[in-house]
Amino acid sequence: MLRAVGFTDKDFLKPQIGIASTWSMVTPCNMHINGLADLAAAGADAAGGKSVIFNTITVSDGISMGTPGMRYSLISREVIADSIEAVTAAEGFDGLVTIGGCDKNMPGCVMAMARLDRPSIFVYGGTIKPGAKHRDVISVFEAVGGVAAGSVSEAELREVELTAIPGPGSCAGMYTANTMASAIEAMGMSLANSSAQEAISDAKKMDCERAGEAVVQLVRRGIKPSDILSKESFENAITMVIALGGSTNAVLHLLAVAHDASIALTLDDFARIGVRVPVLADLRPSGRYMMSELIQIGGIQPLMKILLDAGLLHGDCLTVTGKPLAENLAHIKPYPQGQDIIRRLDDPIKADSHLAVLYGNLAPEGAVAKITGKEGTRFTGSARIFHSEEDALQAILSGKIIAGDVIVIRYEGPKGGPGMREMLSPTGAIIGKGLGDKVALITDGRFSGGSHGFVVGHVAPEAAAGGPIAIVEEGDQITIDAETKTIDVAISKEEIDLRLRNWTPEPAYTTRGLLAKYAKLVSSASLGAVTDIS
């Protein structure tokens, strides 16, 4: 069978290298990855291996956002991890290169690599170039809100739509894709600068070829993910996510990867590390710059060197280069004088993490907020209750949400959604309507990496599991405090208990197919929303 797909006698003496390609034409994030897979395969072959390319799926978060299709987004992470595991284990590959370029296939790739524990390297597909007038995909969502507010015309919205996404690559700011690429590199599973290259660039082509070559060397040296992934390497990843002002989705995905690597990582680790790590990068969505502009001044490697020298990274962690992190960074040059994308340690954007892990009577198992400080650090307001993203979005666009409201979107968690949809449409509409610092939004769903404002997600336990978010009523006073790390509704424990006793679960969204299977299997968001915890 292998002769029929091109193997010769000599090939059977070589290490077989699986090349997992997430190529797809459903999204610009992945439309170029077939070419990158060919380059990785060529690199593996040139180094004395025998490459075998195979595919897995991708769904587009941006296209499914705000629709029932978004229920499949987080679920696709498990499908991707499962499919890479299945093919690699069934075919008996000696090594693995995975190439991802969208929010869920990236953690899905690394989850599979951790499970399989054979020599592996992750390659990021690369970031998209900025659109005209410094636009990106988030510009479109916020322009929709602008139309509803009357500050953006239909003609202006169309121009934004036509120019925001100029070609291949992942979303342009420090959204989930660029966040996860940076985290994966910091944890040692990508080659240097893989996370900081444009999708269409010579640097990205070279990165793919080098990854193919490097994985053959890992096979020969017997270096596996279990030699690289450790509690300390995950702490490095968390540190980078915070310093870059990255996506809340990184919390969910790093918990899931750690689970597959059999490493004890919890929400409290994010809180512990967040106390001492500042936000240094002035990157979108809350900042001014895009990933392409960070690439122009040197990418994330100089930032890693800054953090290492300050004792905020573990330099002795092994990486896929076969060398420890500190050795990889030894000769990295500092950022050029005068740049203002990455701030100095003594002049941070925020002195501690923007990712606040909150606990309280609304979230006994925790919730995750992305609060940069620009929107304030404390909010108290009246609950406005919605049982779906669509209902909340309609209320925002029609002007029914006013200053002082706390929008509560529930039954959108891992089980209740099912699928834990991202709330970019509501948060984009809030910003577009000019309410970004005037209202808050809490949900047992999650947020796009492009979301910003006073938003709290991953509320656990979720409503479908009988969490307290299920019994909040219209007009209840909710307080979110990023300094005390609390989220509470102003009712007594006795009243909460009474409401929960009288609570009736919402009917299941579906009883058949993938969504039904996921709803039965998925764990709490506080555990990474994985599907194999008994």
Side-chain angles (χ1 to χ4, degrees), residues 35 91 99 139 209 215 224 301 314 330-331 344 385 388 413 426 466:
E91 301 306 311
I99 309 173
S139 306
E209 291 179 357
V215 78
K224 305 183 296 296
Q301 293 266 298
H314 301 284
H331 304 294
R344 300 190 315 273
I385 307 299
S388 74

Side-chain angles (χ1 to χ4, degrees), residues 375-396:
E375 59 284 287
T377 58
R378 192 175 192 276
F379 194 99
T380 297
S382 299
R384 300 295 307 279
I385 307 299
F386 302 96
H387 283 203
S388 74
E389 176 190 8
E390 289 87 351
D391 290 347
L393 178 61
Q394 184 57 41
I396 297 164

Side-chain angles (χ1 to χ4, degrees), residues 72-95:
Y72 289 90
S73 168
L74 184 58
I75 297 174
S76 75
R77 184 190 73 180
E78 314 308 307
V79 176
I80 292 160
D82 292 349
S83 63
I84 294 174
E85 177 191 354
V87 174
T88 302
E91 301 306 311
F93 296 138
D94 301 293

Side-chain angles (χ1 to χ4, degrees), residues 377-381 403-406 437-440 454 478-481:
T377 58
R378 192 175 192 276
F379 194 99
T380 297
D405 285 344
V406 177
D437 58 350
K438 300 178 178 66
V439 303
F454 217 108
I478 293 174
T479 297
I480 305 159
D481 194 321

Side-chain angles (χ1 to χ4, degrees), residues 32 35-36 39-40 99 122-127 129 185 191-212 292 295-296 298-299:
H32 62 301
L36 301 186
L39 292 167
I99 309 173
F122 175 77
V123 176
Y124 179 38
T127 192
K129 293 179 181 293
E185 181 177 334
L191 295 177
N193 262 339
S194 182
S195 66
Q197 296 161 342
E198 289 186 333
I200 303 301
S201 66
D202 289 339
K204 181 49 63 184
K205 293 176 182 178
M206 291 177 60
D207 181 40
C208 294
E209 291 179 357
R210 288 173 55 232
S292 289
I295 290 168
Q296 290 169 13

Side-chain angles (χ1 to χ4, degrees), residues 245-262:
S247 167
T248 54
N249 280 315
V251 178
L252 200 68
H253 298 326
L254 289 175
L255 288 171
V257 176
H259 167 72
D260 281 325
S262 299

Side-chain angles (χ1 to χ4, degrees), residues 400-471:
K400 295 178 181 177
I401 299 300
I402 61 172
D405 285 344
V406 177
I407 302 163
V408 179
I409 306 177
R410 61 194 183 196
Y411 296 102
E412 290 285 8
K415 289 183 179 293
M420 205 179 179
R421 290 194 288 178
E422 290 181 351
M423 303 294 155
L424 180 57
S425 294
T427 59
I430 287 168
I431 299 298
K433 292 278 281 186
L435 294 170
D437 58 350
K438 300 178 178 66
V439 303
L441 188 155
I442 71 172
T443 180
D444 51 9
R446 60 195 175 92
F447 295 109
S448 162
S451 292
H452 58 115
F454 217 108
V455 296
V456 182
H458 307 201
V459 172
E462 62 176 286
I469 191 174
I471 52 80

Side-chain angles (χ1 to χ4, degrees), residues 15-20 44 50-52 54 88 92-98 113 116-121 212 215-216 218-220 223 225:
Q16 287 187 31
I17 308 298
I19 311 290
K50 176 56 181 174
S51 62
V52 180
F54 66 98
T88 302
F93 296 138
D94 301 293
L96 179 66
V97 176
T98 62
M113 291 156 66
L116 290 158
D117 199 29
R118 59 193 71 192
S120 305
I121 293 179
V215 78
V216 175
L218 292 180
V219 172
R220 288 174 177 155
I223 297 175

